[in-house]
Amino acid sequence: MITDEAERIAALGPSPRRPARDAVNPAMINNWTEALGDGNSAYPELAPPAMVQVWTMRGLHPAAEEHDPLAAMSAVLDEAGYTSVVATNCEQTYHRYLRPGEHVSVSSVLDAVVGPKRTALGEGWFVTTRSTWFVGDEPVAEMLFRILKFKPGNKSTASALQPTVSRDTEFFWQGTKLGELRVQRCSACGVVRHPPGPMCPRCNALDPGYVVATGLGEVFSYVVHHHPPVPGRELPYVVALVELSEGVRMLGELVGVPPDEVRVGLPVRVGFRPVGEFVLPVWEAR
Amino acid sequence: MTVLPELRVEVTPTFIVSTALATRDFQDVHHDRDRAIARGSKDIFLNILTTTGLVQRFVTDWAGPGALVRGVSIRLGVPCYAYDTLVFSGRAVSTSDGVTTVEVVGRNSMGDHVTGTVRVVLP
Amino acid sequence: MKGAAIAGIGATEFSKDSGRSELRLAAEAALSALADAGLKPSDVDGMVSFTMDTNSEIALARELGVPELSFFSRVNYGGGAACATVQHAAMAVATGAAEVVLCYRAFNERSGHRFGRVSTAAALTVENSWSYPMGLGTPAGTVAMVARRYMHEYGATSEDFGRVAVTMRAHAATNPRAWFHGRPITLAEHQNSRWITEPLHLLDCCQESDGAVALVVTSTSRARDLPRPPVLVRAAAQGSGPDQYVMASYYREDLAALPEMNLVGRQLWRQSGLEPSDVDVAVLYDHFTPYVLIQLEELGFCGRGEARHFLAEQGIGLDGRLPVNPHGGQLGEAYIHGMNGIAEAVRQVRGDSVNQVNGVRHVLVTAGTGVPTSGLVLGV
């Protein structure tokens, strides 16, 4: 089905050339160099070559595009449940630099659709398109662009289990919302501790503070969960018990690493994943 | 083999938003933090056209205005969220037929944001 | 614990769908245990169950027609409560708080609320918020985390875990009460069974069961006047270790260990004056195979990390150095939260088990692992 549709779309060949809204112009070049901090004095007499795609961007209110092979293939994959997208490769070749006043148009063709592949993000298909920019009939630049359309690993964050928060633990969950991994630290004796609690088990002080952890650690142990189904998660997935460099251990899902490549001792760093109203810490390989 | 001078980019929200608009990329994940988080991201993040442009800038900062960039090929890794720092490093690894190949890596706190090569004719 | 004895045992059939209420299961098992002890409901004046049991003491008393209760108690922490019900009953008997105490556990754990599923309700505690939302929300998952570390530290393999499952199923195969009666497995079948949570295969996990078990505890002197030979409570103990959690004690230094079981063991040896070599049969809690290995180590049957050699070289079969779970355990007979294991220990001491070991004088019994737990030494 997906392969059939891919062949059909590929067989349509290059899309009709779609003209840029504006001719190459110094105002947009200057906006670009200003934003990117590019002080190259060759601009704006010449356009930065990496701007080639900018000229034909479809803008704030894009019209429906019936001839765009990437849009067509994305719709097919959306329909099949591969609703998430991430770009993986972009290879641009510039035959020459553009000058203000030149008017480019672009044409794209579906090059390849490969899948289904099991990736770190979930099962997905790699979709590759090739685009060519023209001035008149002269090709001035080309681009290979590859995306991964995938079924998100976190199927429904709405139904996923969310933490229960107490007065003793709310600092932790406030931290994750800010992208901080907070580890409880006794303000009296300085001992760090996870999971947190109201009283320091070493000195019995009732003065818990926290430190923002580096988020760096190593896998101390891990499991690969296959069964039974877990709300909000696609199987299988990896949960790792990580020993942080601060000296405490913490559980979290290990994302982006195929299960058979996980091992005790794997260096990881923290990432953050929103689930409902909360943000959970997750581990990523580093 | 020449090592290029490092380029550090402080990826502020302003940087992400202004570059997204300068590249005419109006997707909400590049300017609306609430929407970005709702879509599963930690924050707004850099768009691809900007990453491509920064890779090119990193090389032309070193090569000078007389250089001719022939191609930029990049592989995208971890996202680059607001408040991160993106550090580019690179080295010119070979020259053939007058075209020099520069290997570039852009790293942030999460890992490799971009790896790739730039083909450039040096002046 | 001198002075208390188990005078009677009773149980329902073990099934996947009892077709009746949990209260009825409790009442049937209790009545059966009283009959075994030669006692009447009116003799009962104490009851102990698990915090998790849905049948209150007063509900069971109403059904049985027990007129008065002078002692009633619950023990927390899932299967860790099993042996502690007997301990609490024995303490009540020793102090005179009660004379005849019923210990019971009844549930439709397979046809009703299944423990093997992810419990959304259980996730709603602050303590479980460090594990459930992170994707670790099943008993198998929590044990797998310890098992992986155990394998890493000591070189144990899935096959070592599999030897436990194969032995339990061999025992169950000749036990007509067992769900897996007549259905032994091979190590290859264990290895080929599907993953539940790596490194645990399906056959590393005990079954889920409907059923009930009840025990009657009374004073040794009264038990001597009853028809069955008294089975003495030679030792009884509870244990909770440092930085203890329920199934997820992941934050203390040694992950591949059960310090709470070590504490139970130390008390049992001290109270009974026995040592591991005196144990004729061990009934070890076997909801998941890896914890059988760690228990052998914590209880002193072998050194730390050496259980895999103990299994392979000494053996835990009926003819092994230490016969473990002659009834087939929870992997083979039924999962009644450890209470069916106490009943088997009683039969072994009485000498009337279907898989009877010769010359049994002392039986060690343990309760749930990974949780605050308990243990018993029963004997003649």
Side-chain angles (χ1 to χ4, degrees):
Chain A
M1 166 62 190
I2 289 171
T3 311
D4 292 347
E5 282 297 296
E7 281 175 12
R8 184 186 64 78
I9 294 166
L12 296 174
S15 61
R17 292 181 203 168
R18 179 169 56 79
R21 185 190 68 178
D22 300 299
V24 175
N25 66 85
M28 282 172 61
I29 293 172
N30 286 333
N31 284 348
W32 189 94
T33 56
E34 192 177 338
L36 270 82
D38 192 333
N40 190 333
S41 61
Y43 316 140
E45 282 69 31
L46 297 172
M51 264 190 88
V52 66
Q53 198 181 354
V54 175
W55 305 115
T56 52
M57 287 294 276
R58 289 161 54 201
L60 187 52
H61 303 291
E65 179 93 44
E66 51 189 302
H67 300 297
D68 179 27
L70 185 56
M73 197 61 225
S74 293
V76 169
L77 289 163
D78 281 338
E79 189 70 21
Y82 301 91
T83 52
S84 292
V85 62
V86 62
T88 61
N89 298 78
C90 177
E91 299 176 4
Q92 297 185 343
T93 301
Y94 316 114
H95 299 312
R96 67 171 176 84
Y97 279 33
L98 297 172
R99 292 177 179 278
E102 293 188 300
H103 210 124
V104 299
S105 59
V106 65
S107 167
S108 300
V109 63
L110 184 63
D111 185 66
V113 177
V114 178
K117 296 275 189 188
R118 192 174 151 188
T119 75
L121 294 167
E123 184 185 283
W125 295 71
F126 287 97
V127 179
T128 306
T129 57
R130 289 181 182 277
S131 300
T132 306
W133 282 268
F134 296 87
V135 171
D137 285 333
E138 177 200 2
V140 291
E142 287 165 44
M143 176 174 74
L144 175 152
F145 190 62
R146 184 172 297 135
I147 62 167
L148 171 66
K149 285 285 285 177
F150 64 98
K151 290 182 177 170
N154 207 336
K155 218 189 225 166
S156 105
T157 53
S159 63
L161 295 177
Q162 296 190 27
T164 297
V165 177
S166 78
R167 289 181 182 188
D168 303 322
T169 68
E170 62 185 349
F171 76 94
F172 180 89
W173 301 107
Q174 285 165 352
T176 57
K177 279 185 189 164
L178 300 172
E180 291 183 357
L181 189 66
R182 296 176 175 176
V183 173
Q184 188 172 67
R185 181 178 177 279
C186 176
S187 303
C189 77
V191 72
V192 292
R193 176 196 191 192
H194 183 86
M199 178 179 284
C200 175
R202 187 165 80 179
C203 75
N204 293 156
L206 289 162
D207 191 11
Y210 66 82
V211 290
V212 177
T214 58
L216 304 178
E218 290 185 356
V219 171
F220 188 78
S221 190
Y222 68 97
V223 304
V224 185
H225 186 88
H226 294 264
H227 184 82
V230 177
R233 280 195 166 78
E234 188 146 308
L235 305 172
Y237 62 88
V238 179
V239 182
L241 179 65
V242 165
E243 196 150 84
L244 291 169
S245 56
E246 286 76 14
V248 298
R249 291 185 205 138
M250 195 180 290
L251 282 172
E253 186 171 338
L254 176 60
V255 298
V257 182
D260 54 6
E261 291 177 17
V262 185
R263 57 185 170 77
V264 172
L266 183 76
V268 297
R269 77 175 69 237
V270 74
F272 295 94
R273 174 193 283 174
V275 173
E277 300 168 31
F278 290 89
V279 177
L280 297 179
V282 296
W283 310 116
E284 297 161 350
R286 64 180 158 98
Chain B
M1 191 179 70
T2 310
V3 175
L4 276 64
E6 185 182 277
L7 171 64
R8 293 176 75 85
V9 180
E10 296 302 331
V11 183
T12 61
T14 304
F15 184 81
I16 291 172
V17 174
S18 59
T19 53
L21 300 191
T23 54
R24 287 179 51 71
D25 185 338
F26 299 96
Q27 295 206 43
D28 55 22
V29 290
H30 306 309
H31 62 257
D32 184 333
R33 185 170 195 263
D34 292 343
R35 298 292 288 274
I37 288 173
R39 291 178 190 276
S41 295
K42 188 175 94 168
D43 204 327
I44 57 169
F45 56 90
L46 218 55
N47 71 333
I48 302 168
L49 278 73
T50 298
T51 299
T52 310
L54 287 173
V55 169
Q56 176 196 267
R57 177 194 153 190
F58 170 65
V59 171
T60 55
D61 278 0
W62 162 73
L68 290 176
V69 175
R70 288 304 184 204
V72 175
S73 294
I74 58 172
R75 199 176 129 80
L76 295 152
V78 298
C80 191
Y81 292 115
Y83 303 107
D84 210 335
T85 302
L86 189 53
V87 180
F88 287 93
S89 57
R91 48 189 195 150
V93 291
S94 64
T95 302
S96 74
D97 295 336
V99 179
T100 298
T101 299
V102 182
E103 289 181 354
V104 180
V105 181
R107 289 193 182 86
N108 62 23
S109 68
M110 296 170 63
D112 290 349
H113 167 63
V114 58
T115 54
T117 56
V118 176
R119 286 173 294 119
V120 60
V121 178
L122 299 176
Chain C
M1 285 303 146
K2 278 176 187 164
I6 298 178
I9 57 173
T12 62
E13 84 288 358
F14 305 136
S15 74
K16 300 296 177 194
D17 185 0
S18 73
R20 47 208 200 276
S21 73
E22 294 184 335
L23 181 57
R24 177 166 165 174
L25 295 178
E28 288 180 22
L31 198 63
S32 157
L34 288 168
D36 184 56
L39 293 167
K40 302 184 297 298
S42 57
D43 294 316
V44 174
D45 57 359
M47 289 194 187
V48 190
S49 188
F50 294 46
T51 304
M52 279 184 81
D53 203 279
T54 61
N55 307 291
S56 72
E57 307 90 289
I58 56 172
L60 182 56
R62 286 196 304 267
E63 298 314 305
L64 291 170
V66 171
E68 292 180 321
L69 288 174
S70 57
F71 172 73
F72 32 92
S73 172
R74 294 286 186 120
V75 186
N76 205 349
Y77 309 116
C83 295
T85 62
V86 174
Q87 182 206 29
H88 286 215
M91 290 193 295
V93 167
T95 59
E99 201 170 324
V100 175
V101 183
L102 262 177
C103 304
Y104 64 92
R105 180 73 175 113
F107 56 17
N108 288 321
E109 192 277 327
R110 178 59 178 78
S111 65
H113 171 66
R114 297 176 64 177
F115 297 173
R117 298 296 168 94
V118 180
S119 165
T120 309
L124 296 176
T125 69
V126 174
E127 196 168 302
N128 283 344
S129 294
W130 308 112
S131 53
Y132 278 65
M134 282 61 170
L136 201 67
T138 61
T142 55
V143 174
M145 190 67 79
V146 174
R148 173 76 69 191
R149 186 71 197 180
Y150 181 82
M151 295 164 86
H152 174 78
E153 288 193 13
Y154 301 115
T157 64
S158 172
E159 292 199 347
D160 294 319
F161 302 153
R163 276 184 252 284
V164 174
V166 169
T167 306
M168 295 307 106
R169 290 290 292 270
H171 294 175
T174 53
N175 171 10
R177 302 174 58 82
W179 178 258
F180 288 115
H181 177 235
R183 286 185 281 173
I185 57 166
T186 63
L187 194 55
E189 285 172 308
H190 169 273
Q191 289 293 293
N192 291 329
S193 66
R194 65 189 168 105
W195 291 121
I196 298 299
T197 303
E198 289 178 59
L200 300 188
H201 290 277
L202 173 67
L203 293 176
D204 287 305
C205 308
C206 80
Q207 58 192 309
E208 295 181 292
S209 307
D210 286 8
V213 170
L215 313 164
V216 178
V217 176
T218 189
S219 65
T220 305
S221 56
R222 180 155 184 183
R224 293 205 192 283
D225 295 332
L226 296 173
R228 290 292 203 163
V231 173
L232 308 186
V233 180
R234 294 287 308 269
Q238 286 187 283
S240 169
D243 211 6
Q244 181 78 51
Y245 283 79
V246 173
M247 298 304 286
S249 299
Y250 294 163
Y251 312 101
R252 53 197 183 193
E253 189 170 348
D254 199 354
L255 180 63
L258 289 167
E260 56 278 356
M261 191 60 83
N262 189 289
L263 171 60
V264 167
R266 280 182 276 137
Q267 295 175 84
L268 295 180
W269 305 136
R270 191 179 66 234
Q271 287 177 29
S272 65
L274 301 172
E275 50 188 61
S277 60
D278 297 320
V279 171
D280 303 306
V281 170
V283 175
L284 301 182
Y285 200 89
D286 62 334
H287 57 353
F288 298 98
T289 56
Y291 273 145
V292 172
L293 280 75
I294 301 179
Q295 285 183 88
L296 288 168
E297 297 165 11
E298 295 289 4
L299 294 164
F301 292 102
C302 60
R304 187 162 305 280
E306 292 173 4
R308 61 194 175 103
H309 303 302
F310 187 94
L311 289 176
E313 292 154 25
Q314 317 257 353
I316 59 170
L318 294 175
D319 55 355
R321 149 76 187 84
L322 179 71
V324 171
N325 300 351
H327 60 315
Q330 305 193 90
L331 288 158
E333 187 183 66
Y335 174 71
I336 313 293
H337 239 166
M339 292 295 269
N340 51 320
I342 304 175
E344 171 65 9
V346 169
R347 286 189 291 267
Q348 288 290 335
V349 174
R350 288 175 175 176
D352 63 1
S353 171
V354 291
N355 289 327
Q356 184 62 44
V357 175
N358 290 331
V360 174
R361 294 177 54 79
H362 307 114
V363 181
L364 172 80
V365 192
T366 62
T369 38
V371 292
T373 188
S374 54
L376 296 169
V377 175
L378 303 181
V380 293

